[in-house]
Amino acid sequence: MQKTALITGITGQDGSYLAEFLLEKGYRVFGMVRRSSTENFERIEHIRHRVTLIQADLLDQMSLISAMSESQPDEIYNLAAQSFVPTSWTKPVLTAEFTALGVTRMLEALRLVKRDTKFYQASSSEMFGKVKEIPQSETTPFHPRSPYGVAKAYGHFITVNYRESYDLFACSGILFNHESPRRGLEFVTRKISHSVARIKLGVQNELALGNLEAKRDWGYALDYVKMMWMMLQQDEPDDYVIASGESHSVREFVEVAFDHAGLNWKDHVKIDPHLVRPAEVDMLIGNPAKAREKLGWQPKISFRELVEMMVDNDLDLVKRQMVAR
């Protein structure tokens, strides 16, 4: 029997990869999108004819109930959020509405409409913030260092609460940083790969960055969305850290990216103090032992392969843009 999935945030990096993956699995896929005067379906344009888009909003409870009633999903993947950490300082209340309370509204809609639906919540390594131990696992205490991280911690615990209170199949994937050529240009990894391409092709000369010493556990988004699906195929709901288990600094990302393009990063990178976070998260590295042991998950793409893939993709993109002009 064909399964049905509802994806919030389907137009984002993770949502688009997940939609592709589920379509390959034979799912009927519904995607939740917000009403907007400027539509941005670029990441799902190639599969748009194969998915059903429903207008709804994490700020509007009734629209979520309607979306749930219309789609009648077997699985929900709640990926929608205000997901850019720096914006969470300038829009802390809006971040809380989307990224924290939005999760509650989704769970309430599920509880009211279709309680046997399996629910996946996109938790984040930013919840660990000022880390209490290295590496971070499912039992590491949270100490978020941004309004985004705080909101994600709320979303995580409200998912646990609904699981325990109403016996729902609700689980969270605590995903560490995961990137791809579909990453938004505002994120530091894509900012680096895109700038490297533009510098290589003579379109720009400088790249401004903040803290080069911040360390992250970076993986490939497609590897990680497969894990979301695996979590919902288990007999019992549980929470899992999804990570590579390796930590690399922003400086290392820069070095690999520029080196791949045959450039010396020191000739082009400038440090801008305005790009440093008010409260920095210095070191994130995940311990994915539970996911590997219980689910048999293993990431396929290495850090270097990821960086080089993103640079190659942006070189092609910038070349096409130059020809189009």
Side-chain angles (χ1 to χ4, degrees):
M1 191 174 133
Q2 187 182 35
K3 281 188 179 180
T4 298
L6 173 63
I7 304 172
T8 75
I10 193 171
T11 59
Q13 168 188 257
D14 292 5
S16 62
Y17 278 122
L18 180 62
E20 282 177 355
F21 177 73
L22 293 177
L23 287 169
E24 286 171 16
K25 291 273 179 197
Y27 278 65
R28 185 180 182 206
V29 176
F30 286 83
M32 205 180 90
V33 293
R34 297 178 69 207
R35 172 74 183 92
S36 172
S37 55
T38 55
E39 293 182 338
N40 182 15
F41 297 142
E42 186 182 339
R43 294 185 183 94
I44 58 167
E45 203 59 60
H46 61 297
I47 55 169
R48 195 171 168 185
H49 62 290
R50 299 175 62 196
V51 302
T52 304
L53 299 181
I54 302 176
Q55 281 191 6
D57 197 312
L58 288 179
L59 303 186
D60 178 20
Q61 183 72 66
M62 285 308 299
S63 72
L64 300 180
I65 291 171
S66 296
M68 202 85 66
S69 299
E70 181 181 339
S71 58
Q72 290 291 310
D74 299 295
E75 298 170 2
I76 292 173
Y77 296 87
N78 187 40
L79 310 184
Q82 191 300 98
S83 61
F84 189 47
V85 176
T87 299
S88 75
W89 273 286
T90 57
K91 296 180 178 176
V93 176
L94 188 67
T95 298
E97 286 285 357
F98 275 119
T99 309
L101 292 180
V103 186
T104 314
R105 295 187 190 104
M106 285 298 298
L107 287 162
E108 268 298 281
L110 185 160
R111 185 178 72 84
L112 293 169
V113 177
K114 194 171 182 290
R115 292 177 67 143
D116 63 345
T117 299
K118 293 185 174 184
F119 181 84
Y120 171 86
Q121 165 59 17
S123 287
S124 168
S125 58
E126 288 285 333
M127 300 186 303
F128 294 119
K130 192 173 184 179
V131 300
K132 304 296 185 188
E133 62 182 4
I134 298 172
Q136 296 89 52
S137 72
E138 293 81 4
T139 57
T140 304
F142 298 150
H143 186 147
R145 298 264 283 172
S146 66
Y148 171 79
V150 173
K152 277 292 185 184
Y154 174 97
H156 180 84
F157 281 125
I158 201 68
T159 302
V160 172
N161 184 259
Y162 268 67
R163 177 169 74 216
E164 295 176 351
S165 300
Y166 302 113
D167 197 28
L168 301 179
F169 193 111
C171 57
S172 294
I174 306 172
L175 271 62
F176 280 66
N177 293 62
H178 47 290
E179 317 297 321
S180 76
R182 296 184 191 175
R183 195 48 139 162
L185 288 168
E186 69 273 23
F187 289 85
V188 68
T189 50
R190 184 74 197 290
K191 179 181 177 181
I192 293 167
S193 65
H194 193 249
S195 295
V196 165
R198 287 169 58 84
I199 291 167
K200 178 68 175 178
L201 297 169
V203 183
Q204 74 182 59
N205 189 49
E206 277 188 8
L207 165 61
L209 293 172
N211 180 12
L212 294 184
E213 306 315 317
K215 291 188 172 182
R216 294 292 183 271
D217 185 325
W218 276 301
Y220 177 38
L222 181 56
D223 284 340
Y224 285 37
V225 300
K226 290 176 181 175
M227 190 63 208
M228 299 174 186
W229 175 79
M230 290 171 76
M231 288 170 61
L232 295 196
Q233 309 317 306
Q234 304 308 302
D235 293 331
E236 298 293 331
D238 205 349
D239 305 323
Y240 295 88
V241 161
I242 308 302
S244 72
E246 295 179 8
S247 190
H248 299 274
S249 66
V250 174
R251 184 189 299 274
E252 285 178 79
F253 198 107
V254 167
E255 287 172 351
V256 173
F258 276 89
D259 186 58
H260 187 58
L263 299 166
N264 184 345
W265 70 273
K266 292 179 181 177
D267 295 336
H268 304 281
V269 173
K270 301 290 181 281
I271 303 303
D272 182 350
H274 295 103
L275 296 176
V276 177
R277 295 180 180 186
E280 183 57 271
V281 174
D282 298 311
M283 167 86 169
L284 289 175
I285 176 170
N287 177 3
K290 181 177 170 183
R292 289 179 175 173
E293 181 187 329
K294 287 197 172 185
L295 306 173
W297 178 76
Q298 197 80 18
K300 292 191 170 73
I301 299 294
S302 71
F303 172 73
R304 179 173 289 275
E305 288 170 329
L306 172 65
V307 179
E308 293 178 351
M309 173 203 304
M310 292 177 68
V311 171
D312 287 340
N313 186 269
D314 277 325
L315 282 167
D316 288 341
L317 177 67
V318 175
K319 282 174 189 170
R320 289 199 304 274
Q321 289 171 341
M322 291 169 73
V323 169
R325 288 197 193 114

